[in-house]
Structure formats: structure tokens, C-alpha cells
């Protein structure tokens, strides 16, 4: 999208490295720049890393569509 105003942005995380510190700061900055952006927190999706990772990632398109998400910020380690 050309702007995030009026859009829903989902945060996704693998619970590995400092997302609990990063995402609140990023969310605040996005809301300052785009006052009508709506953030869907990573806690809505749970930990995307682990033994059920493949199933969770495979289910993401449907979950994102059901939540009417327009953009994603993914904090996944390698």
C-alpha cells in the first residue's frame, strides 16, 4: 500500500529475539506516522517457531485474511 493509514498491520514473531521489546516501539512509531493504522499484535498469532511451525505458517494466509490484514511485519530469526 502507498500508505498505512486505515490499514491493518500484523506483527508476526518467532519468540526468539527481542520482539517483545521491538514490536511495542515499532507499533508506537507506526501509529505516530499513520494515525489510523491498526496493529494486530504478535500475541494474536502466537509463537511461529517450534515443532508445529510448518502447520502454523501454512495456516497464516487464512488467519491473515480472516483478520483483514493488509500488511505484515515479520520478526523471524534465521
Amino acid at each position: 500500500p502507498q500508505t498505512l493509514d486505515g490499514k491493518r498491520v500484523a506483527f508476526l514473531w518467532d519468540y526468539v529475539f527481542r520482539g517483545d521489546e521491538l514490536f511495542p516501539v515499532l507499533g508506537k512509531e507506526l501509529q505516530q506516522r499513520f494515525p489510523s493504522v491498526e496493529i494486530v499484535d504478535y500475541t494474536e498469532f502466537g509463537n511461529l517457531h517450534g515443532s508445529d511451525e510448518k502447520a502454523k505458517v501454512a495456516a497464516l494466509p487464512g488467519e491473515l485474511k480472516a483478520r483483514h490484514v493488509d500488511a505484515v511485519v515479520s520478526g523471524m530469526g534465521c
Side-chain angles (χ1 to χ4, degrees):
Q2 292 185 359
T3 181
L4 293 179
D5 272 321
K7 303 295 184 191
R8 296 188 89 200
V9 177
F11 291 165
L12 304 177
W13 185 34
D14 61 6
Y15 286 54
V16 174
F17 184 75
R18 299 182 72 180
D20 55 332
E21 297 172 28
L22 170 81
F23 285 122
V25 173
L26 181 57
K28 182 178 177 182
E29 290 295 321
L30 287 175
Q31 289 172 329
Q32 286 179 349
R33 292 182 190 195
F34 308 101
S36 63
V37 70
E38 183 179 349
I39 304 296
V40 182
D41 195 60
Y42 65 86
T43 57
E44 296 288 319
F45 300 94
N47 185 349
L48 296 178
H49 176 70
S51 60
D52 56 351
E53 177 178 337
K54 287 184 180 183
K56 285 186 176 184
V57 171
L60 273 176
E63 289 188 43
L64 295 169
K65 185 176 181 178
R67 289 179 168 92
H68 307 284
V69 170
D70 299 296
V72 170
V73 176
S74 178
M76 304 296 181
C78 295

